[in-house]
Amino acid sequence: MSELSTLAQLAQDFAPLWDRLQDKMPEILLATWETLQMVMLSTFFSLLIGFALAILMIVTNPIGLSPCRSVYRVADFVVNLVRSFPFIILLIAIIPFTRFVVGTSIGSAAAIVPLTIAAAPFVARLIETCFLEVDRGVIEAARSFGASNSQIIFRVLFPEALPSIVLNIAVIAITLLGYSAM
């Protein structure tokens, strides 16, 4: 009998909480939708920028397709510099740029800019690593068949690295979800 009274007491204690939760449901759904928008859009834009950076770094890498040490060092330095910034500091530091791009520095639309800038170098490093994991023999075989650098990138490196890239996209989206709380 005491178990039933304890359960009844718990139900009575949670009833006001449930009522408040139901009253806030539209706000919760709106916030969830805004979070999904921020994460999806910043993931998309960071993938675009990150892939471009990764291709630049894989091509100019000292063991790359067209080695150019100076270009690689600059790209590598920029990627490492931006990745080392704590997100909250980056968020504040680029407020003027965010205002220039979006027109405001607050709200979910404004958050997409710093999320993208923070994630793009992270994406570049992850994708570069995926490309570097591709067996050098496959690249040499493509080169011996007369493949150009763009053919090697898009027809050899990308398909070979695709499983790792897909896994890393999930890591990126989860990281951006955590960053979006700020």
Side-chain angles (χ1 to χ4, degrees), residues 51 55 58-59 65 131 134-135 138-143 145-163 165:
F51 264 104
I55 289 171
I58 201 71
V59 168
L65 301 173
F131 285 159
V134 173
D135 184 20
V138 176
I139 297 168
E140 290 305 317
R143 204 178 275 286
F145 282 115
S148 67
N149 285 346
S150 62
Q151 288 173 328
I152 291 172
I153 292 168
F154 294 107
R155 293 189 180 173
V156 176
L157 284 175
F158 186 74
E160 289 288 323
L162 191 59
I165 291 171

Side-chain angles (χ1 to χ4, degrees), residues 8 12 16 23-24 29-30 44 57 69 72 86-87 92 112 118 128 133 144 152 156 171 179 181:
Q12 288 176 349
D23 292 342
K24 298 288 183 183
L29 291 174
L30 178 63
F44 175 75
M57 289 178 11
R69 189 175 300 274
Y72 179 77
F87 180 69
I92 294 167
I112 293 170
E128 179 196 24
E133 289 175 353
S144 70
I152 291 172
V156 176
V171 170
Y179 283 176

Side-chain angles (χ1 to χ4, degrees), residues 6 34 54 68 71 87 119 122 125 127 145 152 154 174 177-178:
T6 305
E34 288 176 346
C68 182
V71 173
F87 180 69
F122 184 53
R125 187 61 73 200
I127 302 303
F145 282 115
I152 291 172
F154 294 107
I174 291 167
L177 181 63

Side-chain angles (χ1 to χ4, degrees), residues 14-152:
F14 283 109
L17 178 65
W18 180 251
D19 291 337
R20 284 187 290 169
L21 183 63
Q22 285 180 329
D23 292 342
K24 298 288 183 183
M25 193 55 71
E27 293 173 25
I28 292 170
L29 291 174
L30 178 63
T32 302
W33 174 246
E34 288 176 346
T35 301
L36 286 174
Q37 281 181 319
M38 286 187 298
V39 170
M40 287 188 298
L41 288 172
S42 59
T43 300
F44 175 75
F45 290 128
S46 65
L47 284 171
L48 288 178
I49 297 167
F51 264 104
L53 273 170
I55 289 171
L56 175 70
M57 289 178 11
I58 201 71
V59 168
T60 61
N61 191 320
I63 60 166
L65 301 173
S66 293
C68 182
R69 189 175 300 274
S70 59
V71 173
Y72 179 77
R73 282 188 176 171
V74 169
D76 186 55
F77 177 76
V78 169
V79 165
N80 287 335
L81 180 69
V82 177
R83 281 183 60 218
S84 66
F85 265 80
F87 180 69
I88 193 74
I89 294 172
L90 180 69
L91 180 74
I92 294 167
I94 64 168
I95 285 175
F97 180 71
T98 302
R99 278 194 192 127
F100 173 75
V101 172
V102 184
T104 183
S105 60
I106 35 180
S108 58
I112 293 170
V113 174
L115 285 171
T116 300
I117 291 172
F122 184 53
V123 170
R125 187 61 73 200
L126 289 174
I127 302 303
E128 179 196 24
T129 303
C130 293
F131 285 159
L132 288 173
E133 289 175 353
V134 173
D135 184 20
R136 302 293 303 166
V138 176
I139 297 168
E140 290 305 317
R143 204 178 275 286
S144 70
F145 282 115
S148 67
N149 285 346
S150 62
Q151 288 173 328
I152 291 172

